[in-house]
Amino acid sequence: MRFFFHALLAGLLVLPGAGAAETAPPSNDESDPGRTLIVLAAPAADDAYYRAWRRDVLDFQVAYAKAILGRDNVVILCDRPTLAELAGELPDDVLLVGPMRDVWMRDFTPVLTARPVLFRYSAAAQAGKQLDADWVQAGFTRYAKSTGLEFRRSPYVLDGGNFVDDGDARAIVTDRFLADNGLDKAQAGAALREALGVEQIAILPADPEDRLGHADGMAAFIASNVVAATCFDEPFRTAVLDELRAAFPDVEIVEIESPAGGPPAADAAFGSAHGLYVNAVATDRHLYVPTFGIPEDAAAMELLRARSDREVVPVDARMVAALGGSVRCLSGQFKGENARKLIEAARAR
């Protein structure tokens, strides 16, 4: 795929002749080990591809960041013009000069926040051009080196959007991983176990309507022992559920309807992420779930709140879903020293 208002006082600020102003959103707290850092990449001010949708993406990222603050930590990487544009909307330590070459941070950044591993970014996300995919990822790796981020590297091709995990020993990919790396199913499972240290791996048949073959529009771990799966039409539905049950015999699987319709895709090559509730970001304490301003949102939130062991936080994704991605697609995740380094870099700018 192609590519703050600083907290002035801990309490309310009262201006002469005016009522109490709104309390500024709480800022990052890297000392809390229960927080995860969610990293967003703002579209560059001169990016031609995103020009028509740039303000929509920025408005989404600002609203999403405000939903994260006080729960987890968040940083938005951006170029200098965009930082100046957003400076009155978010706390200072949320904005950081570090322009990325695309906005879909999930795909070209490391997987597994506790023991991060960076795979090679797939050409499918860049119109089948591996050189373009490598160029996008190189923008991240150069910035990561300059900031001192640490992770292991794997030579295998795997987008972060095609990797869903429980944060520990279970993972989900699609058979796109087999095709991208010339592996059979047994070889793929062995390669992923060795690279990631996971124990149980589900290799789902890729959704034929998803050009990227990503798993994060198909399933999500919403609790340590619960997977939410998009409810597909038969016979594809049975194929997905059979693989999940075989891979995770002790895990509860709940299906969630993905309503059809919605605004047309902004780019027909990538379709729309409208209605994909499983494209959610799971942290230790929270589940950030896309909503779409439709009646089906309420039932989806009710189901997820009943089955998740985390606070479910709705995030309005209408502004970005037409671009082919949603909450999870736009979110890189970091913990520990990597998270601390990024937050400190934002504070030091």
mmCIF file with all atom_site columns, all heavy atoms in Angstrom, residues 28 35-39 68 72-76 93 113 149 283 331-336 338-343:
data_model
loop_
_atom_site.group_PDB
_atom_site.id
_atom_site.type_symbol
_atom_site.label_atom_id
_atom_site.label_alt_id
_atom_site.label_comp_id
_atom_site.label_asym_id
_atom_site.label_entity_id
_atom_site.label_seq_id
_atom_site.pdbx_PDB_ins_code
_atom_site.Cartn_x
_atom_site.Cartn_y
_atom_site.Cartn_z
_atom_site.occupancy
_atom_site.B_iso_or_equiv
_atom_site.pdbx_formal_charge
_atom_site.auth_seq_id
_atom_site.auth_comp_id
_atom_site.auth_asym_id
_atom_site.auth_atom_id
_atom_site.pdbx_PDB_model_num
ATOM 1   N N   . ASN A 1 28  ? 2.529  11.421 27.906 1.00 0.00 ? 28  ASN A N   1
ATOM 2   C CA  . ASN A 1 28  ? 3.132  10.096 27.985 1.00 0.00 ? 28  ASN A CA  1
ATOM 3   C C   . ASN A 1 28  ? 3.767  9.837  29.343 1.00 0.00 ? 28  ASN A C   1
ATOM 4   O O   . ASN A 1 28  ? 4.250  10.758 30.007 1.00 0.00 ? 28  ASN A O   1
ATOM 5   C CB  . ASN A 1 28  ? 4.194  9.955  26.887 1.00 0.00 ? 28  ASN A CB  1
ATOM 6   C CG  . ASN A 1 28  ? 3.590  9.830  25.508 1.00 0.00 ? 28  ASN A CG  1
ATOM 7   O OD1 . ASN A 1 28  ? 2.567  9.183  25.324 1.00 0.00 ? 28  ASN A OD1 1
ATOM 8   N ND2 . ASN A 1 28  ? 4.218  10.471 24.522 1.00 0.00 ? 28  ASN A ND2 1
ATOM 9   N N   . ARG A 1 35  ? 2.266  0.194  30.142 1.00 0.00 ? 35  ARG A N   1
ATOM 10  C CA  . ARG A 1 35  ? 1.897  0.928  28.931 1.00 0.00 ? 35  ARG A CA  1
ATOM 11  C C   . ARG A 1 35  ? 2.705  0.462  27.727 1.00 0.00 ? 35  ARG A C   1
ATOM 12  O O   . ARG A 1 35  ? 3.882  0.127  27.838 1.00 0.00 ? 35  ARG A O   1
ATOM 13  C CB  . ARG A 1 35  ? 2.121  2.432  29.125 1.00 0.00 ? 35  ARG A CB  1
ATOM 14  C CG  . ARG A 1 35  ? 1.175  3.087  30.111 1.00 0.00 ? 35  ARG A CG  1
ATOM 15  C CD  . ARG A 1 35  ? 1.270  4.592  29.973 1.00 0.00 ? 35  ARG A CD  1
ATOM 16  N NE  . ARG A 1 35  ? 0.427  5.298  30.936 1.00 0.00 ? 35  ARG A NE  1
ATOM 17  C CZ  . ARG A 1 35  ? 0.086  6.565  30.830 1.00 0.00 ? 35  ARG A CZ  1
ATOM 18  N NH1 . ARG A 1 35  ? 0.530  7.288  29.808 1.00 0.00 ? 35  ARG A NH1 1
ATOM 19  N NH2 . ARG A 1 35  ? -0.676 7.140  31.730 1.00 0.00 ? 35  ARG A NH2 1
ATOM 20  N N   . THR A 1 36  ? 2.050  0.487  26.596 1.00 0.00 ? 36  THR A N   1
ATOM 21  C CA  . THR A 1 36  ? 2.700  0.246  25.304 1.00 0.00 ? 36  THR A CA  1
ATOM 22  C C   . THR A 1 36  ? 2.768  1.569  24.557 1.00 0.00 ? 36  THR A C   1
ATOM 23  O O   . THR A 1 36  ? 1.866  2.402  24.666 1.00 0.00 ? 36  THR A O   1
ATOM 24  C CB  . THR A 1 36  ? 1.887  -0.768 24.480 1.00 0.00 ? 36  THR A CB  1
ATOM 25  O OG1 . THR A 1 36  ? 1.893  -2.030 25.144 1.00 0.00 ? 36  THR A OG1 1
ATOM 26  C CG2 . THR A 1 36  ? 2.466  -0.944 23.078 1.00 0.00 ? 36  THR A CG2 1
ATOM 27  N N   . LEU A 1 37  ? 3.852  1.781  23.814 1.00 0.00 ? 37  LEU A N   1
ATOM 28  C CA  . LEU A 1 37  ? 3.948  2.962  22.956 1.00 0.00 ? 37  LEU A CA  1
ATOM 29  C C   . LEU A 1 37  ? 3.395  2.616  21.577 1.00 0.00 ? 37  LEU A C   1
ATOM 30  O O   . LEU A 1 37  ? 3.856  1.673  20.930 1.00 0.00 ? 37  LEU A O   1
ATOM 31  C CB  . LEU A 1 37  ? 5.400  3.420  22.823 1.00 0.00 ? 37  LEU A CB  1
ATOM 32  C CG  . LEU A 1 37  ? 5.636  4.589  21.846 1.00 0.00 ? 37  LEU A CG  1
ATOM 33  C CD1 . LEU A 1 37  ? 4.963  5.860  22.341 1.00 0.00 ? 37  LEU A CD1 1
ATOM 34  C CD2 . LEU A 1 37  ? 7.127  4.819  21.624 1.00 0.00 ? 37  LEU A CD2 1
ATOM 35  N N   . ILE A 1 38  ? 2.405  3.365  21.145 1.00 0.00 ? 38  ILE A N   1
ATOM 36  C CA  . ILE A 1 38  ? 1.848  3.238  19.801 1.00 0.00 ? 38  ILE A CA  1
ATOM 37  C C   . ILE A 1 38  ? 2.431  4.361  18.953 1.00 0.00 ? 38  ILE A C   1
ATOM 38  O O   . ILE A 1 38  ? 2.379  5.531  19.338 1.00 0.00 ? 38  ILE A O   1
ATOM 39  C CB  . ILE A 1 38  ? 0.317  3.302  19.842 1.00 0.00 ? 38  ILE A CB  1
ATOM 40  C CG1 . ILE A 1 38  ? -0.224 2.102  20.639 1.00 0.00 ? 38  ILE A CG1 1
ATOM 41  C CG2 . ILE A 1 38  ? -0.266 3.342  18.435 1.00 0.00 ? 38  ILE A CG2 1
ATOM 42  C CD1 . ILE A 1 38  ? -1.707 2.147  20.909 1.00 0.00 ? 38  ILE A CD1 1
ATOM 43  N N   . VAL A 1 39  ? 3.014  3.997  17.815 1.00 0.00 ? 39  VAL A N   1
ATOM 44  C CA  . VAL A 1 39  ? 3.703  4.968  16.967 1.00 0.00 ? 39  VAL A CA  1
ATOM 45  C C   . VAL A 1 39  ? 2.955  5.122  15.650 1.00 0.00 ? 39  VAL A C   1
ATOM 46  O O   . VAL A 1 39  ? 2.701  4.146  14.949 1.00 0.00 ? 39  VAL A O   1
ATOM 47  C CB  . VAL A 1 39  ? 5.158  4.547  16.701 1.00 0.00 ? 39  VAL A CB  1
ATOM 48  C CG1 . VAL A 1 39  ? 5.866  5.599  15.853 1.00 0.00 ? 39  VAL A CG1 1
ATOM 49  C CG2 . VAL A 1 39  ? 5.900  4.354  18.022 1.00 0.00 ? 39  VAL A CG2 1
ATOM 50  N N   . ILE A 1 68  ? -5.631 7.420  23.107 1.00 0.00 ? 68  ILE A N   1
ATOM 51  C CA  . ILE A 1 68  ? -4.548 6.629  23.696 1.00 0.00 ? 68  ILE A CA  1
ATOM 52  C C   . ILE A 1 68  ? -4.010 7.281  24.964 1.00 0.00 ? 68  ILE A C   1
ATOM 53  O O   . ILE A 1 68  ? -3.739 6.599  25.968 1.00 0.00 ? 68  ILE A O   1
ATOM 54  C CB  . ILE A 1 68  ? -3.410 6.461  22.676 1.00 0.00 ? 68  ILE A CB  1
ATOM 55  C CG1 . ILE A 1 68  ? -3.873 5.615  21.487 1.00 0.00 ? 68  ILE A CG1 1
ATOM 56  C CG2 . ILE A 1 68  ? -2.177 5.831  23.329 1.00 0.00 ? 68  ILE A CG2 1
ATOM 57  C CD1 . ILE A 1 68  ? -2.931 5.671  20.291 1.00 0.00 ? 68  ILE A CD1 1
ATOM 58  N N   . ASP A 1 72  ? -2.299 4.401  27.226 1.00 0.00 ? 72  ASP A N   1
ATOM 59  C CA  . ASP A 1 72  ? -0.989 3.962  26.783 1.00 0.00 ? 72  ASP A CA  1
ATOM 60  C C   . ASP A 1 72  ? -0.209 5.199  26.367 1.00 0.00 ? 72  ASP A C   1
ATOM 61  O O   . ASP A 1 72  ? -0.645 6.319  26.630 1.00 0.00 ? 72  ASP A O   1
ATOM 62  C CB  . ASP A 1 72  ? -1.129 2.964  25.630 1.00 0.00 ? 72  ASP A CB  1
ATOM 63  C CG  . ASP A 1 72  ? -1.615 1.590  26.090 1.00 0.00 ? 72  ASP A CG  1
ATOM 64  O OD1 . ASP A 1 72  ? -0.854 0.901  26.796 1.00 0.00 ? 72  ASP A OD1 1
ATOM 65  O OD2 . ASP A 1 72  ? -2.757 1.205  25.747 1.00 0.00 ? 72  ASP A OD2 1
ATOM 66  N N   . ASN A 1 73  ? 0.925  5.018  25.722 1.00 0.00 ? 73  ASN A N   1
ATOM 67  C CA  . ASN A 1 73  ? 1.721  6.133  25.230 1.00 0.00 ? 73  ASN A CA  1
ATOM 68  C C   . ASN A 1 73  ? 1.632  6.202  23.715 1.00 0.00 ? 73  ASN A C   1
ATOM 69  O O   . ASN A 1 73  ? 1.374  5.199  23.050 1.00 0.00 ? 73  ASN A O   1
ATOM 70  C CB  . ASN A 1 73  ? 3.181  5.972  25.668 1.00 0.00 ? 73  ASN A CB  1
ATOM 71  C CG  . ASN A 1 73  ? 3.332  6.019  27.175 1.00 0.00 ? 73  ASN A CG  1
ATOM 72  O OD1 . ASN A 1 73  ? 2.622  6.764  27.857 1.00 0.00 ? 73  ASN A OD1 1
ATOM 73  N ND2 . ASN A 1 73  ? 4.256  5.231  27.715 1.00 0.00 ? 73  ASN A ND2 1
ATOM 74  N N   . VAL A 1 74  ? 1.883  7.386  23.154 1.00 0.00 ? 74  VAL A N   1
ATOM 75  C CA  . VAL A 1 74  ? 1.768  7.552  21.707 1.00 0.00 ? 74  VAL A CA  1
ATOM 76  C C   . VAL A 1 74  ? 2.750  8.610  21.218 1.00 0.00 ? 74  VAL A C   1
ATOM 77  O O   . VAL A 1 74  ? 3.000  9.612  21.891 1.00 0.00 ? 74  VAL A O   1
ATOM 78  C CB  . VAL A 1 74  ? 0.318  7.939  21.303 1.00 0.00 ? 74  VAL A CB  1
ATOM 79  C CG1 . VAL A 1 74  ? -0.129 9.236  21.973 1.00 0.00 ? 74  VAL A CG1 1
ATOM 80  C CG2 . VAL A 1 74  ? 0.164  8.019  19.790 1.00 0.00 ? 74  VAL A CG2 1
ATOM 81  N N   . VAL A 1 75  ? 3.323  8.344  20.049 1.00 0.00 ? 75  VAL A N   1
ATOM 82  C CA  . VAL A 1 75  ? 4.184  9.303  19.359 1.00 0.00 ? 75  VAL A CA  1
ATOM 83  C C   . VAL A 1 75  ? 3.754  9.336  17.903 1.00 0.00 ? 75  VAL A C   1
ATOM 84  O O   . VAL A 1 75  ? 3.450  8.296  17.310 1.00 0.00 ? 75  VAL A O   1
ATOM 85  C CB  . VAL A 1 75  ? 5.674  8.904  19.477 1.00 0.00 ? 75  VAL A CB  1
ATOM 86  C CG1 . VAL A 1 75  ? 6.522  9.612  18.428 1.00 0.00 ? 75  VAL A CG1 1
ATOM 87  C CG2 . VAL A 1 75  ? 6.207  9.218  20.870 1.00 0.00 ? 75  VAL A CG2 1
ATOM 88  N N   . ILE A 1 76  ? 3.710  10.532 17.325 1.00 0.00 ? 76  ILE A N   1
ATOM 89  C CA  . ILE A 1 76  ? 3.448  10.678 15.897 1.00 0.00 ? 76  ILE A CA  1
ATOM 90  C C   . ILE A 1 76  ? 4.727  11.166 15.230 1.00 0.00 ? 76  ILE A C   1
ATOM 91  O O   . ILE A 1 76  ? 5.233  12.249 15.538 1.00 0.00 ? 76  ILE A O   1
ATOM 92  C CB  . ILE A 1 76  ? 2.301  11.668 15.625 1.00 0.00 ? 76  ILE A CB  1
ATOM 93  C CG1 . ILE A 1 76  ? 1.012  11.205 16.311 1.00 0.00 ? 76  ILE A CG1 1
ATOM 94  C CG2 . ILE A 1 76  ? 2.081  11.820 14.116 1.00 0.00 ? 76  ILE A CG2 1
ATOM 95  C CD1 . ILE A 1 76  ? -0.167 12.149 16.115 1.00 0.00 ? 76  ILE A CD1 1
ATOM 96  N N   . ASP A 1 93  ? 5.360  16.043 23.778 1.00 0.00 ? 93  ASP A N   1
ATOM 97  C CA  . ASP A 1 93  ? 6.106  14.786 23.705 1.00 0.00 ? 93  ASP A CA  1
ATOM 98  C C   . ASP A 1 93  ? 5.382  13.708 22.919 1.00 0.00 ? 93  ASP A C   1
ATOM 99  O O   . ASP A 1 93  ? 5.767  12.545 22.941 1.00 0.00 ? 93  ASP A O   1
ATOM 100 C CB  . ASP A 1 93  ? 6.489  14.278 25.097 1.00 0.00 ? 93  ASP A CB  1
ATOM 101 C CG  . ASP A 1 93  ? 5.295  13.856 25.942 1.00 0.00 ? 93  ASP A CG  1
ATOM 102 O OD1 . ASP A 1 93  ? 4.143  14.102 25.535 1.00 0.00 ? 93  ASP A OD1 1
ATOM 103 O OD2 . ASP A 1 93  ? 5.520  13.276 27.030 1.00 0.00 ? 93  ASP A OD2 1
ATOM 104 N N   . THR A 1 113 ? 6.303  -6.879 20.377 1.00 0.00 ? 113 THR A N   1
ATOM 105 C CA  . THR A 1 113 ? 6.851  -5.759 21.142 1.00 0.00 ? 113 THR A CA  1
ATOM 106 C C   . THR A 1 113 ? 7.839  -6.198 22.214 1.00 0.00 ? 113 THR A C   1
ATOM 107 O O   . THR A 1 113 ? 8.765  -5.466 22.548 1.00 0.00 ? 113 THR A O   1
ATOM 108 C CB  . THR A 1 113 ? 5.709  -4.967 21.817 1.00 0.00 ? 113 THR A CB  1
ATOM 109 O OG1 . THR A 1 113 ? 4.952  -5.852 22.647 1.00 0.00 ? 113 THR A OG1 1
ATOM 110 C CG2 . THR A 1 113 ? 4.784  -4.351 20.787 1.00 0.00 ? 113 THR A CG2 1
ATOM 111 N N   . LEU A 1 149 ? 17.088 2.406  18.325 1.00 0.00 ? 149 LEU A N   1
ATOM 112 C CA  . LEU A 1 149 ? 16.136 1.314  18.525 1.00 0.00 ? 149 LEU A CA  1
ATOM 113 C C   . LEU A 1 149 ? 16.825 -0.015 18.246 1.00 0.00 ? 149 LEU A C   1
ATOM 114 O O   . LEU A 1 149 ? 17.667 -0.126 17.353 1.00 0.00 ? 149 LEU A O   1
ATOM 115 C CB  . LEU A 1 149 ? 14.926 1.475  17.603 1.00 0.00 ? 149 LEU A CB  1
ATOM 116 C CG  . LEU A 1 149 ? 14.162 2.799  17.680 1.00 0.00 ? 149 LEU A CG  1
ATOM 117 C CD1 . LEU A 1 149 ? 12.908 2.727  16.808 1.00 0.00 ? 149 LEU A CD1 1
ATOM 118 C CD2 . LEU A 1 149 ? 13.791 3.138  19.117 1.00 0.00 ? 149 LEU A CD2 1
ATOM 119 N N   . THR A 1 283 ? -3.067 -3.891 23.471 1.00 0.00 ? 283 THR A N   1
ATOM 120 C CA  . THR A 1 283 ? -1.952 -3.657 24.379 1.00 0.00 ? 283 THR A CA  1
ATOM 121 C C   . THR A 1 283 ? -2.225 -4.434 25.667 1.00 0.00 ? 283 THR A C   1
ATOM 122 O O   . THR A 1 283 ? -3.199 -5.170 25.756 1.00 0.00 ? 283 THR A O   1
ATOM 123 C CB  . THR A 1 283 ? -1.779 -2.156 24.671 1.00 0.00 ? 283 THR A CB  1
ATOM 124 O OG1 . THR A 1 283 ? -2.916 -1.674 25.408 1.00 0.00 ? 283 THR A OG1 1
ATOM 125 C CG2 . THR A 1 283 ? -1.640 -1.352 23.375 1.00 0.00 ? 283 THR A CG2 1
ATOM 126 N N   . SER A 1 331 ? -0.634 1.595  13.063 1.00 0.00 ? 331 SER A N   1
ATOM 127 C CA  . SER A 1 331 ? 0.004  1.625  14.381 1.00 0.00 ? 331 SER A CA  1
ATOM 128 C C   . SER A 1 331 ? 1.211  0.707  14.486 1.00 0.00 ? 331 SER A C   1
ATOM 129 O O   . SER A 1 331 ? 1.085  -0.511 14.404 1.00 0.00 ? 331 SER A O   1
ATOM 130 C CB  . SER A 1 331 ? -1.003 1.199  15.463 1.00 0.00 ? 331 SER A CB  1
ATOM 131 O OG  . SER A 1 331 ? -2.178 1.961  15.417 1.00 0.00 ? 331 SER A OG  1
ATOM 132 N N   . GLY A 1 332 ? 2.387  1.296  14.674 1.00 0.00 ? 332 GLY A N   1
ATOM 133 C CA  . GLY A 1 332 ? 3.518  0.507  15.136 1.00 0.00 ? 332 GLY A CA  1
ATOM 134 C C   . GLY A 1 332 ? 3.441  0.394  16.647 1.00 0.00 ? 332 GLY A C   1
ATOM 135 O O   . GLY A 1 332 ? 2.819  1.236  17.307 1.00 0.00 ? 332 GLY A O   1
ATOM 136 N N   . GLN A 1 333 ? 4.046  -0.640 17.222 1.00 0.00 ? 333 GLN A N   1
ATOM 137 C CA  . GLN A 1 333 ? 4.001  -0.815 18.677 1.00 0.00 ? 333 GLN A CA  1
ATOM 138 C C   . GLN A 1 333 ? 5.394  -1.116 19.221 1.00 0.00 ? 333 GLN A C   1
ATOM 139 O O   . GLN A 1 333 ? 6.133  -1.931 18.664 1.00 0.00 ? 333 GLN A O   1
ATOM 140 C CB  . GLN A 1 333 ? 3.058  -1.959 19.056 1.00 0.00 ? 333 GLN A CB  1
ATOM 141 C CG  . GLN A 1 333 ? 1.595  -1.602 18.919 1.00 0.00 ? 333 GLN A CG  1
ATOM 142 C CD  . GLN A 1 333 ? 0.673  -2.755 19.281 1.00 0.00 ? 333 GLN A CD  1
ATOM 143 O OE1 . GLN A 1 333 ? 0.009  -3.318 18.416 1.00 0.00 ? 333 GLN A OE1 1
ATOM 144 N NE2 . GLN A 1 333 ? 0.619  -3.112 20.561 1.00 0.00 ? 333 GLN A NE2 1
ATOM 145 N N   . PHE A 1 334 ? 5.742  -0.438 20.336 1.00 0.00 ? 334 PHE A N   1
ATOM 146 C CA  . PHE A 1 334 ? 7.036  -0.617 20.976 1.00 0.00 ? 334 PHE A CA  1
ATOM 147 C C   . PHE A 1 334 ? 6.859  -0.639 22.491 1.00 0.00 ? 334 PHE A C   1
ATOM 148 O O   . PHE A 1 334 ? 5.945  -0.015 23.033 1.00 0.00 ? 334 PHE A O   1
ATOM 149 C CB  . PHE A 1 334 ? 7.992  0.518  20.587 1.00 0.00 ? 334 PHE A CB  1
ATOM 150 C CG  . PHE A 1 334 ? 8.308  0.567  19.117 1.00 0.00 ? 334 PHE A CG  1
ATOM 151 C CD1 . PHE A 1 334 ? 7.501  1.274  18.240 1.00 0.00 ? 334 PHE A CD1 1
ATOM 152 C CD2 . PHE A 1 334 ? 9.406  -0.107 18.613 1.00 0.00 ? 334 PHE A CD2 1
ATOM 153 C CE1 . PHE A 1 334 ? 7.776  1.318  16.882 1.00 0.00 ? 334 PHE A CE1 1
ATOM 154 C CE2 . PHE A 1 334 ? 9.699  -0.068 17.252 1.00 0.00 ? 334 PHE A CE2 1
ATOM 155 C CZ  . PHE A 1 334 ? 8.883  0.640  16.383 1.00 0.00 ? 334 PHE A CZ  1
ATOM 156 N N   . LYS A 1 335 ? 7.763  -1.336 23.165 1.00 0.00 ? 335 LYS A N   1
ATOM 157 C CA  . LYS A 1 335 ? 7.780  -1.360 24.620 1.00 0.00 ? 335 LYS A CA  1
ATOM 158 C C   . LYS A 1 335 ? 9.214  -1.229 25.099 1.00 0.00 ? 335 LYS A C   1
ATOM 159 O O   . LYS A 1 335 ? 10.164 -1.242 24.319 1.00 0.00 ? 335 LYS A O   1
ATOM 160 C CB  . LYS A 1 335 ? 7.158  -2.665 25.148 1.00 0.00 ? 335 LYS A CB  1
ATOM 161 C CG  . LYS A 1 335 ? 5.673  -2.810 24.871 1.00 0.00 ? 335 LYS A CG  1
ATOM 162 C CD  . LYS A 1 335 ? 5.079  -4.027 25.547 1.00 0.00 ? 335 LYS A CD  1
ATOM 163 C CE  . LYS A 1 335 ? 4.870  -3.791 27.033 1.00 0.00 ? 335 LYS A CE  1
ATOM 164 N NZ  . LYS A 1 335 ? 4.112  -4.887 27.671 1.00 0.00 ? 335 LYS A NZ  1
ATOM 165 N N   . GLY A 1 336 ? 9.382  -1.118 26.418 1.00 0.00 ? 336 GLY A N   1
ATOM 166 C CA  . GLY A 1 336 ? 10.714 -1.130 27.020 1.00 0.00 ? 336 GLY A CA  1
ATOM 167 C C   . GLY A 1 336 ? 11.600 -0.003 26.557 1.00 0.00 ? 336 GLY A C   1
ATOM 168 O O   . GLY A 1 336 ? 11.168 1.149  26.399 1.00 0.00 ? 336 GLY A O   1
ATOM 169 N N   . ASN A 1 338 ? 13.021 0.624  23.652 1.00 0.00 ? 338 ASN A N   1
ATOM 170 C CA  . ASN A 1 338 ? 12.662 1.252  22.369 1.00 0.00 ? 338 ASN A CA  1
ATOM 171 C C   . ASN A 1 338 ? 11.613 2.335  22.560 1.00 0.00 ? 338 ASN A C   1
ATOM 172 O O   . ASN A 1 338 ? 11.706 3.430  21.988 1.00 0.00 ? 338 ASN A O   1
ATOM 173 C CB  . ASN A 1 338 ? 12.151 0.195  21.396 1.00 0.00 ? 338 ASN A CB  1
ATOM 174 C CG  . ASN A 1 338 ? 13.266 -0.671 20.831 1.00 0.00 ? 338 ASN A CG  1
ATOM 175 O OD1 . ASN A 1 338 ? 14.434 -0.287 20.845 1.00 0.00 ? 338 ASN A OD1 1
ATOM 176 N ND2 . ASN A 1 338 ? 12.911 -1.841 20.322 1.00 0.00 ? 338 ASN A ND2 1
ATOM 177 N N   . ALA A 1 339 ? 10.619 2.046  23.382 1.00 0.00 ? 339 ALA A N   1
ATOM 178 C CA  . ALA A 1 339 ? 9.581  3.040  23.658 1.00 0.00 ? 339 ALA A CA  1
ATOM 179 C C   . ALA A 1 339 ? 10.168 4.240  24.393 1.00 0.00 ? 339 ALA A C   1
ATOM 180 O O   . ALA A 1 339 ? 9.885  5.399  24.056 1.00 0.00 ? 339 ALA A O   1
ATOM 181 C CB  . ALA A 1 339 ? 8.464  2.404  24.478 1.00 0.00 ? 339 ALA A CB  1
ATOM 182 N N   . ARG A 1 340 ? 10.990 3.978  25.387 1.00 0.00 ? 340 ARG A N   1
ATOM 183 C CA  . ARG A 1 340 ? 11.586 5.075  26.162 1.00 0.00 ? 340 ARG A CA  1
ATOM 184 C C   . ARG A 1 340 ? 12.410 5.998  25.272 1.00 0.00 ? 340 ARG A C   1
ATOM 185 O O   . ARG A 1 340 ? 12.336 7.231  25.382 1.00 0.00 ? 340 ARG A O   1
ATOM 186 C CB  . ARG A 1 340 ? 12.463 4.501  27.278 1.00 0.00 ? 340 ARG A CB  1
ATOM 187 C CG  . ARG A 1 340 ? 13.101 5.567  28.168 1.00 0.00 ? 340 ARG A CG  1
ATOM 188 C CD  . ARG A 1 340 ? 14.117 4.987  29.129 1.00 0.00 ? 340 ARG A CD  1
ATOM 189 N NE  . ARG A 1 340 ? 15.227 4.335  28.445 1.00 0.00 ? 340 ARG A NE  1
ATOM 190 C CZ  . ARG A 1 340 ? 16.243 4.985  27.869 1.00 0.00 ? 340 ARG A CZ  1
ATOM 191 N NH1 . ARG A 1 340 ? 16.274 6.320  27.881 1.00 0.00 ? 340 ARG A NH1 1
ATOM 192 N NH2 . ARG A 1 340 ? 17.205 4.330  27.268 1.00 0.00 ? 340 ARG A NH2 1
ATOM 193 N N   . LYS A 1 341 ? 13.196 5.416  24.368 1.00 0.00 ? 341 LYS A N   1
ATOM 194 C CA  . LYS A 1 341 ? 14.048 6.226  23.495 1.00 0.00 ? 341 LYS A CA  1
ATOM 195 C C   . LYS A 1 341 ? 13.230 7.147  22.595 1.00 0.00 ? 341 LYS A C   1
ATOM 196 O O   . LYS A 1 341 ? 13.596 8.301  22.361 1.00 0.00 ? 341 LYS A O   1
ATOM 197 C CB  . LYS A 1 341 ? 14.944 5.313  22.657 1.00 0.00 ? 341 LYS A CB  1
ATOM 198 C CG  . LYS A 1 341 ? 16.059 4.657  23.475 1.00 0.00 ? 341 LYS A CG  1
ATOM 199 C CD  . LYS A 1 341 ? 16.820 3.622  22.641 1.00 0.00 ? 341 LYS A CD  1
ATOM 200 C CE  . LYS A 1 341 ? 17.884 2.947  23.488 1.00 0.00 ? 341 LYS A CE  1
ATOM 201 N NZ  . LYS A 1 341 ? 18.573 1.876  22.720 1.00 0.00 ? 341 LYS A NZ  1
ATOM 202 N N   . LEU A 1 342 ? 12.110 6.647  22.083 1.00 0.00 ? 342 LEU A N   1
ATOM 203 C CA  . LEU A 1 342 ? 11.275 7.477  21.216 1.00 0.00 ? 342 LEU A CA  1
ATOM 204 C C   . LEU A 1 342 ? 10.590 8.595  21.989 1.00 0.00 ? 342 LEU A C   1
ATOM 205 O O   . LEU A 1 342 ? 10.525 9.739  21.517 1.00 0.00 ? 342 LEU A O   1
ATOM 206 C CB  . LEU A 1 342 ? 10.246 6.595  20.497 1.00 0.00 ? 342 LEU A CB  1
ATOM 207 C CG  . LEU A 1 342 ? 10.803 5.725  19.368 1.00 0.00 ? 342 LEU A CG  1
ATOM 208 C CD1 . LEU A 1 342 ? 9.789  4.680  18.929 1.00 0.00 ? 342 LEU A CD1 1
ATOM 209 C CD2 . LEU A 1 342 ? 11.231 6.589  18.180 1.00 0.00 ? 342 LEU A CD2 1
ATOM 210 N N   . ILE A 1 343 ? 10.083 8.281  23.182 1.00 0.00 ? 343 ILE A N   1
ATOM 211 C CA  . ILE A 1 343 ? 9.445  9.325  23.984 1.00 0.00 ? 343 ILE A CA  1
ATOM 212 C C   . ILE A 1 343 ? 10.471 10.381 24.399 1.00 0.00 ? 343 ILE A C   1
ATOM 213 O O   . ILE A 1 343 ? 10.196 11.593 24.348 1.00 0.00 ? 343 ILE A O   1
ATOM 214 C CB  . ILE A 1 343 ? 8.760  8.695  25.210 1.00 0.00 ? 343 ILE A CB  1
ATOM 215 C CG1 . ILE A 1 343 ? 7.595  7.814  24.760 1.00 0.00 ? 343 ILE A CG1 1
ATOM 216 C CG2 . ILE A 1 343 ? 8.261  9.787  26.164 1.00 0.00 ? 343 ILE A CG2 1
ATOM 217 C CD1 . ILE A 1 343 ? 6.999  6.978  25.877 1.00 0.00 ? 343 ILE A CD1 1
#
